[in-house]
Structures are given as structure tokens and as C-alpha cells.
Amino acid sequence: MADITDLPVMTRADAVSLGYAGFNDVPHKAIDVPDGAFTITARTSEGRRVTFCFMGMSYDGPARFCDIQFHDRGTTIPNADNGVSPTLNAFAITRGGRHVIDSRPLDEDKKPSILVLLMDTAGDEPPRPAPENPPMEDRDLADLLTRAAAVITAPGSEIRSDREDLIDTLTAEAARRRR
């Protein structure tokens, strides 16, 4: 599409019926993003500004990712262009409401300035090599920690004979999880 189509505010159901995705049952503003680099800028009633810059694999191709910036947190960090960029807080939610990524605990100089949303499909991802020594499953780690607790609680017991093996296993597991 050569130019942007600006549709009126509509219900979620109306947006979905027109082929857009819906999210939450609130009013939706459906926008067609044209090929090529394109930014949508938005401002809240309080004046908080956010931009969504859609970019493709080539400068004039279809969008494959979206750079998101929040402009009014009040903090900045140096950027790659010898300037400054505003910082933001963000988190990502996965199954069960668990936060898999959360920038809020980071120090100011480590907070992100851009969130990059990749618009790929599952088949587009490059294969990830299996780690040589994958971390233990939660149940196995729980068993290992129970063994460690038993050694600590009763250092003179028969369990103590496993002490060196236990130390090696705990140290190796800690190293795998630090990667």
C-alpha cells in the first residue's frame, strides 16, 4: 500500500472483522503501515509520548521489526550516534503471567532506550544450538538442593560421603545458569 489508511476509532470486534488483530476489548485505531521506514507517534492526554518506528530488512521493504521509544521518562543515556536517547522501563510477560524480561530493577545507565519488537514468524527464527550441558530441570534441581540441605543439616551422617560429588554438581549447575 503506497500511503497510510487512517480508519476511524472502532470496536475490537470491528477491527478484527476488517482483518486487524485485536487486543483487549477497548476502542481500536486501525492503521495500515506502508512499506519503507515509517514512524507512528502517539501522545496521551498527559502529554506522554511514544513512537513506533517500523523498519524492514531493506529501507523500502515491508516492516519486519518495530523500534519503540518512550520519550518522557525524564532520563537519557548516550546512543550510538554521539547523542542521547530517552530511557524506558519495560517487561515481557509469558505463560502464567511470569515476567521473563524486566528492566525495572536495572541501574539507570543500563535501562533500555529502545525496545525492538521483531515481527518474525516461528519459522523465521534461526535454529538455536542445543547447549552442551543444559541446565537441570526444576525437579532435578530441587532434588539436588534437598541433598545439599541434608549434608548441611547432618554433616556427620552417611550422606557426607557424597559431599565432593554434590559440590561438583552444584558448582557445575551454577555455572550453566550464569551464562
Side-chain angles (χ1 to χ4, degrees), residues 19-76:
Y20 295 89
F23 185 66
N24 293 334
D25 195 11
V26 297
H28 280 54
K29 177 74 168 176
I31 297 172
D32 285 326
V33 175
D35 287 353
F38 190 84
T39 295
I40 294 173
T41 183
R43 182 178 59 211
T44 70
S45 63
E46 296 177 309
R48 296 176 191 233
R49 300 164 300 154
V50 63
T51 52
F52 305 86
C53 181
F54 294 87
M55 302 286 285
M57 300 310 284
S58 65
Y59 196 74
D60 58 352
R64 291 291 183 260
F65 63 94
C66 178
D67 289 343
I68 304 165
Q69 276 193 316
F70 173 59
H71 300 269
D72 297 303
R73 185 166 176 272
T75 58
T76 60

Side-chain angles (χ1 to χ4, degrees), residues 111-133:
K111 290 197 183 288
S113 63
I114 298 172
L115 271 176
V116 180
L117 172 67
L118 302 176
M119 298 180 351
D120 57 356
T121 62
D124 293 341
E125 294 176 13
R128 292 187 320 182
E132 292 177 22
N133 297 314

Side-chain angles (χ1 to χ4, degrees), residues 99-117:
H99 294 179
V100 292
I101 298 168
D102 191 344
S103 70
R104 293 173 295 183
L106 297 175
D107 291 338
E108 260 330 295
D109 64 337
K110 291 192 170 71
K111 290 197 183 288
S113 63
I114 298 172
L115 271 176
V116 180
L117 172 67

Side-chain angles (χ1 to χ4, degrees), residues 72-95:
D72 297 303
R73 185 166 176 272
T75 58
T76 60
I77 58 173
N79 64 25
D81 297 328
N82 296 320
V84 294
S85 290
T87 62
L88 56 94
N89 273 320
F91 56 89
I93 303 170
T94 189
R95 180 177 47 196

Side-chain angles (χ1 to χ4, degrees), residues 154-172:
S157 73
E158 293 174 15
I159 299 171
R160 189 165 186 219
S161 62
D162 288 340
R163 187 170 184 270
E164 295 305 317
D165 176 56
L166 183 60
I167 290 169
D168 292 343
T169 306
L170 284 167
T171 302

